Amino acid sequence: MARIQTQDALEIWCEVTSNIVSGDWPDLTLRQQAILMQVYLKPQPHTVRGLAKTLNITKPAVTRALDTLSALDLVRRKKDPNDLRNVLIQRTVKGSVFLSEFSDLFIRQADARGIEGPENRAAA
Amino acid sequence: MARIQTQDALEIWCEVTSNIVSGDWPDLTLRQQAILMQVYLKPQPHTVRGLAKTLNITKPAVTRALDTLSALDLVRRKKDPNDLRNVLIQRTVKGSVFLSEFSDLFIRQADARGIEGPENRAAA
DNA sequence: CAGAGTCAATACGCTTACGAAATAATCCAC
DNA sequence: GTGGATTATTTCGTAAGCGTATTGACTCTG
């Protein structure tokens, strides 16, 4: 049982961020990244209020981040038909592509360091 | 041999970014993160020009990012005594703490998913 | 020691982001 | 329905970011 080490973790982070920066992707803030990840990885539905609470930031900050992410077509807004006060944040193809590139970079770096997932995922 | 899977990679990234955002840390841009990581993980010395080239961004962008990171005491500027045109970017205690929290979050998430480093690091 | 070359930083005009407070739209209790 | 909650957004003034072009400091060549 060999846990991941600090050096590996930081190196992976360094390579992934550096690769994203030097590529064609936009210079997202940490908040925008976090919102994007939440929308794609946590169970739906996502609302402005919910994201603000989860990430411990103000609602206007979420609204503005969504403005940016929407303009980049990384997420999409949709009125909640059950409660028109709510705005549901939905995923897009382009957002999926972005996340996919993220994980590809991540996995490539992890593989290069001999890092492995669980042998038996079902039992985990 | 079980490689890391996309889902694990993205979940780790999601949790780390979300935790940093909801904590007391500043809302660094991806560029600032990348510069910070480069300075701490790649061999010294680091210059504005070198970072700009590595990350494929303009020199003024690096200068501004260093303004921000310096104000936060995450890095420090120092004139190169051998060539006073150069500015060497150096590490700080606070920056080390930041990176340390980063890696702690990362490792905690990786451990929770049964992800492991190489068994025999010397042989890797 | 003069002038070209190289480094980081600054100036400029513009865009984006911030938090607090105010608005607009909607729901719900009564 | 009307009034009070709740949701997201907008407004406001301010701060920070961007790229291009320029400046100021320094080095090095001839």
Side-chain angles (χ1 to χ4, degrees):
Chain A
M1 174 67 92
R3 293 174 67 237
I4 283 198
Q5 295 189 359
T6 297
Q7 189 69 10
D8 289 323
L10 292 175
E11 284 179 4
I12 291 173
W13 203 275
C14 179
E15 293 303 324
V16 174
T17 54
S18 297
N19 272 283
I20 295 280
V21 166
S22 50
D24 285 335
W25 294 107
D27 185 28
L28 299 181
T29 67
L30 210 36
R31 290 177 170 191
Q32 292 163 350
Q33 294 171 56
I35 288 175
L36 189 61
M37 294 285 176
Q38 288 282 337
V39 168
Y40 279 80
L41 292 171
K42 302 291 181 171
Q44 315 236 28
H46 299 283
T47 64
V48 173
R49 174 169 172 72
L51 291 168
K53 185 170 183 185
T54 299
L55 298 174
N56 193 29
I57 57 180
T58 65
K59 278 197 296 180
V62 175
T63 294
R64 275 187 302 263
L66 292 176
D67 289 343
T68 302
L69 294 174
S70 299
L72 295 167
D73 196 29
L74 295 175
V75 301
R76 186 165 296 144
R77 284 180 168 104
K78 184 179 188 305
K79 281 277 187 191
D80 181 352
N82 297 325
D83 184 343
L84 293 176
R85 289 172 303 181
N86 287 336
V87 164
L88 305 179
I89 294 90
Q90 304 192 306
R91 303 160 187 170
T92 66
V93 171
K94 195 171 172 192
S96 301
V97 171
F98 182 84
L99 277 268
S100 173
E101 175 153 337
F102 236 81
S103 68
D104 283 352
L105 288 168
F106 189 113
I107 290 169
R108 189 173 314 144
Q109 293 299 325
D111 287 351
R113 289 170 178 76
I115 289 166
E116 300 181 10
E119 282 301 329
N120 185 347
R121 192 162 294 264
Chain B
M1 173 67 93
R3 293 173 67 238
I4 282 198
Q5 295 188 0
T6 297
Q7 189 69 10
D8 288 324
L10 292 176
E11 284 179 4
I12 291 172
W13 204 275
C14 178
E15 293 303 324
V16 174
T17 54
S18 297
N19 272 283
I20 294 280
V21 166
S22 51
D24 284 336
W25 294 106
D27 185 29
L28 300 181
T29 67
L30 211 36
R31 291 180 171 190
Q32 292 164 350
Q33 294 171 57
I35 289 175
L36 190 61
M37 295 284 175
Q38 289 282 334
V39 168
Y40 279 80
L41 292 170
K42 302 291 181 171
Q44 315 234 28
H46 299 283
T47 64
V48 173
R49 174 168 172 71
L51 290 168
K53 185 169 183 185
T54 299
L55 298 175
N56 193 30
I57 57 180
T58 65
K59 277 197 295 180
V62 175
T63 294
R64 277 187 301 264
L66 291 177
D67 288 344
T68 302
L69 295 174
S70 299
L72 295 167
D73 196 29
L74 296 175
V75 301
R76 186 166 296 145
R77 285 179 167 104
K78 183 180 189 304
K79 281 278 187 191
D80 181 352
N82 297 325
D83 184 343
L84 293 177
R85 290 171 302 180
N86 287 336
V87 163
L88 305 178
I89 294 90
Q90 304 191 306
R91 303 163 188 170
T92 66
V93 171
K94 195 171 171 193
S96 300
V97 171
F98 183 84
L99 277 265
S100 173
E101 175 153 339
F102 238 81
S103 69
D104 283 352
L105 288 168
F106 189 113
I107 289 169
R108 189 173 313 145
Q109 293 298 326
D111 287 350
R113 289 171 178 76
I115 288 166
E116 300 181 10
E119 281 303 327
N120 185 347
R121 195 163 293 265

Short mmCIF file of all heavy atoms in Angstrom, two decimals, chain A residues 93-115:
data_model
loop_
_atom_site.label_atom_id
_atom_site.label_comp_id
_atom_site.label_asym_id
_atom_site.label_seq_id
_atom_site.Cartn_x
_atom_site.Cartn_y
_atom_site.Cartn_z
N VAL A 93 -21.73 20.45 -24.71
CA VAL A 93 -20.73 19.61 -25.37
C VAL A 93 -19.34 20.19 -25.17
O VAL A 93 -18.39 19.49 -24.83
CB VAL A 93 -21.05 19.48 -26.88
CG1 VAL A 93 -19.89 18.79 -27.60
CG2 VAL A 93 -22.34 18.71 -27.08
N LYS A 94 -19.24 21.51 -25.36
CA LYS A 94 -17.93 22.12 -25.25
C LYS A 94 -17.36 22.00 -23.84
O LYS A 94 -16.16 21.80 -23.66
CB LYS A 94 -18.01 23.60 -25.66
CG LYS A 94 -16.67 24.22 -25.92
CD LYS A 94 -16.78 25.61 -26.53
CE LYS A 94 -15.43 26.30 -26.59
NZ LYS A 94 -15.56 27.74 -26.92
N GLY A 95 -18.24 22.11 -22.86
CA GLY A 95 -17.80 21.93 -21.48
C GLY A 95 -17.28 20.52 -21.25
O GLY A 95 -16.27 20.32 -20.58
N SER A 96 -17.96 19.55 -21.83
CA SER A 96 -17.52 18.16 -21.69
C SER A 96 -16.14 17.96 -22.32
O SER A 96 -15.30 17.24 -21.78
CB SER A 96 -18.53 17.23 -22.35
OG SER A 96 -19.80 17.38 -21.76
N VAL A 97 -15.95 18.63 -23.45
CA VAL A 97 -14.65 18.53 -24.12
C VAL A 97 -13.56 19.12 -23.24
O VAL A 97 -12.48 18.54 -23.09
CB VAL A 97 -14.68 19.25 -25.48
CG1 VAL A 97 -13.28 19.34 -26.07
CG2 VAL A 97 -15.62 18.53 -26.43
N PHE A 98 -13.85 20.26 -22.66
CA PHE A 98 -12.88 20.91 -21.77
C PHE A 98 -12.51 19.97 -20.61
O PHE A 98 -11.34 19.72 -20.34
CB PHE A 98 -13.46 22.21 -21.22
CG PHE A 98 -12.52 22.98 -20.35
CD1 PHE A 98 -11.57 23.83 -20.89
CD2 PHE A 98 -12.59 22.86 -18.96
CE1 PHE A 98 -10.70 24.54 -20.08
CE2 PHE A 98 -11.71 23.57 -18.15
CZ PHE A 98 -10.79 24.41 -18.71
N LEU A 99 -13.53 19.44 -19.94
CA LEU A 99 -13.28 18.55 -18.82
C LEU A 99 -12.51 17.31 -19.26
O LEU A 99 -11.64 16.80 -18.56
CB LEU A 99 -14.60 18.11 -18.17
CG LEU A 99 -15.25 19.02 -17.15
CD1 LEU A 99 -14.80 18.66 -15.75
CD2 LEU A 99 -14.98 20.48 -17.43
N SER A 100 -12.83 16.87 -20.45
CA SER A 100 -12.17 15.68 -20.98
C SER A 100 -10.68 15.94 -21.19
O SER A 100 -9.83 15.11 -20.85
CB SER A 100 -12.84 15.29 -22.29
OG SER A 100 -12.13 14.25 -22.90
N GLU A 101 -10.37 17.12 -21.71
CA GLU A 101 -8.96 17.44 -21.90
C GLU A 101 -8.25 17.55 -20.56
O GLU A 101 -7.11 17.09 -20.40
CB GLU A 101 -8.81 18.75 -22.68
CG GLU A 101 -7.36 19.20 -22.80
CD GLU A 101 -7.10 20.05 -24.03
OE1 GLU A 101 -7.88 19.97 -25.01
OE2 GLU A 101 -6.13 20.80 -24.02
N PHE A 102 -8.95 18.13 -19.61
CA PHE A 102 -8.44 18.22 -18.25
C PHE A 102 -8.05 16.83 -17.75
O PHE A 102 -6.94 16.62 -17.28
CB PHE A 102 -9.55 18.77 -17.35
CG PHE A 102 -9.17 19.99 -16.60
CD1 PHE A 102 -9.20 21.24 -17.22
CD2 PHE A 102 -8.79 19.91 -15.29
CE1 PHE A 102 -8.85 22.37 -16.53
CE2 PHE A 102 -8.43 21.05 -14.58
CZ PHE A 102 -8.46 22.28 -15.21
N SER A 103 -8.98 15.91 -17.84
CA SER A 103 -8.71 14.59 -17.26
C SER A 103 -7.64 13.85 -18.05
O SER A 103 -6.84 13.11 -17.48
CB SER A 103 -9.99 13.77 -17.17
OG SER A 103 -10.45 13.43 -18.45
N ASP A 104 -7.59 14.08 -19.36
CA ASP A 104 -6.55 13.45 -20.16
C ASP A 104 -5.17 13.89 -19.68
O ASP A 104 -4.27 13.07 -19.50
CB ASP A 104 -6.70 13.81 -21.64
CG ASP A 104 -7.82 13.02 -22.30
OD1 ASP A 104 -8.36 12.11 -21.65
OD2 ASP A 104 -8.15 13.33 -23.46
N LEU A 105 -5.02 15.20 -19.48
CA LEU A 105 -3.73 15.72 -19.01
C LEU A 105 -3.40 15.12 -17.65
O LEU A 105 -2.27 14.69 -17.40
CB LEU A 105 -3.81 17.25 -18.89
CG LEU A 105 -3.83 18.03 -20.20
CD1 LEU A 105 -4.20 19.47 -19.95
CD2 LEU A 105 -2.47 17.94 -20.88
N PHE A 106 -4.40 15.10 -16.81
CA PHE A 106 -4.24 14.56 -15.46
C PHE A 106 -3.77 13.11 -15.52
O PHE A 106 -2.76 12.73 -14.89
CB PHE A 106 -5.58 14.68 -14.74
CG PHE A 106 -5.56 14.38 -13.28
CD1 PHE A 106 -5.80 15.38 -12.36
CD2 PHE A 106 -5.33 13.10 -12.82
CE1 PHE A 106 -5.80 15.11 -11.00
CE2 PHE A 106 -5.32 12.81 -11.46
CZ PHE A 106 -5.56 13.83 -10.55
N ILE A 107 -4.49 12.32 -16.27
CA ILE A 107 -4.19 10.88 -16.32
C ILE A 107 -2.83 10.62 -16.94
O ILE A 107 -2.08 9.74 -16.49
CB ILE A 107 -5.32 10.15 -17.08
CG1 ILE A 107 -6.60 10.16 -16.24
CG2 ILE A 107 -4.91 8.72 -17.43
CD1 ILE A 107 -7.83 9.70 -16.99
N ARG A 108 -2.50 11.40 -17.95
CA ARG A 108 -1.19 11.23 -18.57
C ARG A 108 -0.08 11.46 -17.55
O ARG A 108 0.89 10.71 -17.48
CB ARG A 108 -1.05 12.21 -19.74
CG ARG A 108 0.18 11.98 -20.59
CD ARG A 108 0.14 12.87 -21.82
NE ARG A 108 -1.16 12.84 -22.47
CZ ARG A 108 -1.75 13.88 -23.05
NH1 ARG A 108 -1.13 15.05 -23.06
NH2 ARG A 108 -2.92 13.76 -23.61
N GLN A 109 -0.25 12.51 -16.74
CA GLN A 109 0.76 12.81 -15.73
C GLN A 109 0.79 11.75 -14.64
O GLN A 109 1.86 11.36 -14.16
CB GLN A 109 0.47 14.19 -15.11
CG GLN A 109 0.65 15.35 -16.07
CD GLN A 109 2.07 15.45 -16.58
OE1 GLN A 109 3.02 15.17 -15.85
NE2 GLN A 109 2.24 15.84 -17.84
N ALA A 110 -0.38 11.28 -14.27
CA ALA A 110 -0.44 10.25 -13.23
C ALA A 110 0.22 8.96 -13.73
O ALA A 110 1.01 8.34 -13.02
CB ALA A 110 -1.89 10.00 -12.83
N ASP A 111 -0.10 8.58 -14.95
CA ASP A 111 0.48 7.36 -15.52
C ASP A 111 2.00 7.46 -15.56
O ASP A 111 2.72 6.52 -15.25
CB ASP A 111 -0.06 7.13 -16.93
CG ASP A 111 -1.51 6.65 -16.92
OD1 ASP A 111 -2.01 6.33 -15.82
OD2 ASP A 111 -2.13 6.60 -18.00
N ALA A 112 2.48 8.64 -15.95
CA ALA A 112 3.93 8.82 -16.07
C ALA A 112 4.63 8.62 -14.72
O ALA A 112 5.83 8.37 -14.67
CB ALA A 112 4.23 10.21 -16.62
N ARG A 113 3.87 8.74 -13.65
CA ARG A 113 4.45 8.60 -12.31
C ARG A 113 4.11 7.25 -11.68
O ARG A 113 4.35 7.04 -10.49
CB ARG A 113 3.97 9.75 -11.42
CG ARG A 113 4.61 11.06 -11.82
CD ARG A 113 4.03 12.27 -11.16
NE ARG A 113 4.75 13.45 -11.60
CZ ARG A 113 4.61 14.03 -12.78
NH1 ARG A 113 3.74 13.53 -13.65
NH2 ARG A 113 5.32 15.08 -13.11
N GLY A 114 3.54 6.37 -12.46
CA GLY A 114 3.24 5.03 -11.94
C GLY A 114 2.11 5.00 -10.93
O GLY A 114 2.03 4.10 -10.10
N ILE A 115 1.24 6.00 -11.01
CA ILE A 115 0.12 6.05 -10.07
C ILE A 115 -1.04 5.22 -10.61
O ILE A 115 -1.33 5.26 -11.81
CB ILE A 115 -0.29 7.51 -9.84
CG1 ILE A 115 0.80 8.19 -9.02
CG2 ILE A 115 -1.64 7.61 -9.17
CD1 ILE A 115 0.73 9.67 -8.99
#
